[in-house]
Amino acid sequence: MHRVLVVITCLAGCAALKKQPAPKPRVEVTEDEEAGVEGITRLLRQFRHALAEKQFDQATRLLLRAEKAVSKASEVTRSHPDFEDLVQMVHLSKDKLDKAIEEDRIARRNAAIDKLIREGEDAIRQGTAIYQELKTRVPTDADISLLQGVINTLS
């Protein structure tokens, strides 16, 4: 019995000492200054294109990626002569995005208001025409339903 316990203990100890996988060596990533600046510039170019196409969700994502790239830029990228200009362009792009979204919202609101005004004016013209016609004759069920449609449009 004692031998069985010794064997079990040895096996358990061997299992615990099983060789662990060696940690992967860290490779230091070196970034050249052009790659970082070019990446941010590419993001800003894509941002401008998305903004021109009024794809505000995509433009917002691209701008957030550009802001993150600027904040996490390496010292090599920060030493690039154009880096400060890029930082300024990223900050100005935020204002452009906010302004474009607001202008689009206002344009959509004004278009909806204009459409409602046109529909109301058309309904008033139609109602006036029906009323003028009914001055000379007795209204029918069709005339009543037309006037009811005009009233529904106006309300």
Side-chain angles (χ1 to χ4, degrees), residues 29-37 72-78:
V29 176
T30 59
E31 169 188 319
D32 89 2
E33 63 185 43
E34 287 297 325
V37 169
K72 294 189 180 234
S74 69
E75 288 301 316
V76 174
T77 300
R78 290 178 189 276

Side-chain angles (χ1 to χ4, degrees), residues 93-113:
S93 295
K94 178 68 172 157
D95 295 335
K96 283 182 185 179
L97 177 63
D98 292 341
K99 183 178 178 184
I101 290 172
E102 183 65 17
E103 287 175 354
D104 185 66
R105 185 189 66 78
I106 290 170
R108 288 175 189 255
R109 182 195 65 194
N110 288 344
I113 291 170

